Amino acid sequence: MSDMQSGPALSVVPMELSYASLAGDIVPPATRENVHLLQHAADYQVCVRNLRRSGIGDIIWGLVCCWMGYMALRFMSISLGLFGLGAILASVGMWLLINPSPIGVVIDGIVLLLLAAWNLLISAFIIYRSGRPNGLWIVIAISQVTWGIRHIKTYPRFATAAAMQPSVAAISWLRDLAKATLKAKAAKNTAIVQFTRRGWLAYERWKGQLLPEVGVFVMTSGSFGGKRDVLLASQDEAEILGQKKKMMSTRYKVTVRIRERTLKVQMPLDSLQKLREWLAMAEPAMASVASAQG
């Protein structure tokens, strides 16, 4: 793999595994010893980015709810509640946009659950008045319940990352590395792999940059980049658990473990071969470490 060094320049000087080291302007080098530090910074950067995007959505939908509540107020006084919830949602969105924080994730989820309860209440009111259910409100409510729970479930990851905020330099370096990974073409770069995974509502598109000691795996989902995630792992923290060729296709069904995540993905043969070769580098590397320690 002659071009394994693609992407931002990396230092090879080991850094002590200490969260305190993220307080300065030094970017931890992408080595096996520092992979947990880099994942910590990646978690923080990803959570902040996703929260701000969520905040934009909250502002838009909050204003829509305010408009719908105002327009329906002449017909049903109960619509005042929709106006109020819309105002709260828009306010939470502005908060997340300006100052994303772990507690903001929880409040955002709670407001979405309240809106879901409101939509179920409206559905019940429509059934009571007309005797016919309105499936639209029920579908919206179910979606809001799902989104609300998913937002709340992200709290532990963001709270852990925010407990010791990474340096601006580390966050900027990881952001640039993620962008470079997503822009790279797997067909033209032997250090780039790609695969897809069926997500909750949309397919997740993954690209990985296989650096000498650390793999950087970046996920995007939804339109215009949508949701993003970044996982970093050394060779001994990743493995292929199973593979099976798809019928009438050049792609493979692969079960891969990256850190604590087990992903069932679809992967082209060239990416599968690159990943195998990269994982095979773990044995000589670990043997070299053991020999140095001995």
Side-chain angles (χ1 to χ4, degrees), residues 99-121:
N99 183 32
S101 62
I103 191 63
V105 178
V106 177
I107 294 176
D108 187 41
I110 291 174
V111 173
L112 286 171
L113 293 176
L114 289 174
L115 274 172
W118 168 264
N119 287 324
L120 290 175
L121 178 64

Side-chain angles (χ1 to χ4, degrees), residues 51-61 93 97:
L51 264 186
R52 283 181 171 150
R53 291 184 67 87
S54 178
I56 294 173
D58 288 348
I59 292 172
I60 294 173
W61 283 110
L97 194 60

Side-chain angles (χ1 to χ4, degrees), residues 150 153 194-207 218-222 227 229 231 246 251-258 260-268:
R150 286 170 66 89
K153 287 175 67 175
Q194 59 186 3
F195 48 90
T196 59
R197 174 175 178 263
R198 186 185 295 276
W200 174 56
L201 285 178
Y203 270 96
E204 297 176 354
R205 299 173 296 276
W206 288 83
K207 274 192 178 181
V218 186
M219 183 275 290
T220 58
S221 176
K227 183 182 177 182
D229 201 356
L231 296 177
K246 292 187 65 179
R251 301 176 71 85
Y252 282 73
K253 292 182 179 180
V254 181
T255 302
V256 59
R257 178 184 65 83
I258 304 175
E260 296 84 11
R261 298 272 298 276
T262 299
L263 308 174
K264 294 184 177 181
V265 305
Q266 295 184 23
M267 187 180 299

Side-chain angles (χ1 to χ4, degrees), residues 71-86:
M71 295 301 293
L73 192 59
R74 69 186 72 177
F75 306 109
M76 298 183 296
S77 58
I78 194 174
S79 297
L80 185 62
L82 180 60
F83 182 91
L85 286 174

Side-chain angles (χ1 to χ4, degrees), residues 202-257:
Y203 270 96
E204 297 176 354
R205 299 173 296 276
W206 288 83
K207 274 192 178 181
Q209 184 171 177
L210 306 178
L211 301 175
E213 294 188 35
V214 175
V216 183
F217 302 91
V218 186
M219 183 275 290
T220 58
S221 176
S223 302
F224 308 108
K227 183 182 177 182
R228 182 173 294 178
D229 201 356
V230 178
L231 296 177
L232 296 102
S234 58
Q235 287 99 334
D236 54 309
E237 293 178 314
E239 63 179 322
I240 296 173
L241 301 175
Q243 64 184 60
K244 181 181 179 181
K245 190 176 186 300
K246 292 187 65 179
M247 293 183 62
M248 307 295 291
S249 174
T250 58
R251 301 176 71 85
Y252 282 73
K253 292 182 179 180
V254 181
T255 302
V256 59
R257 178 184 65 83

Side-chain angles (χ1 to χ4, degrees), residues 180 187 289:
V289 172

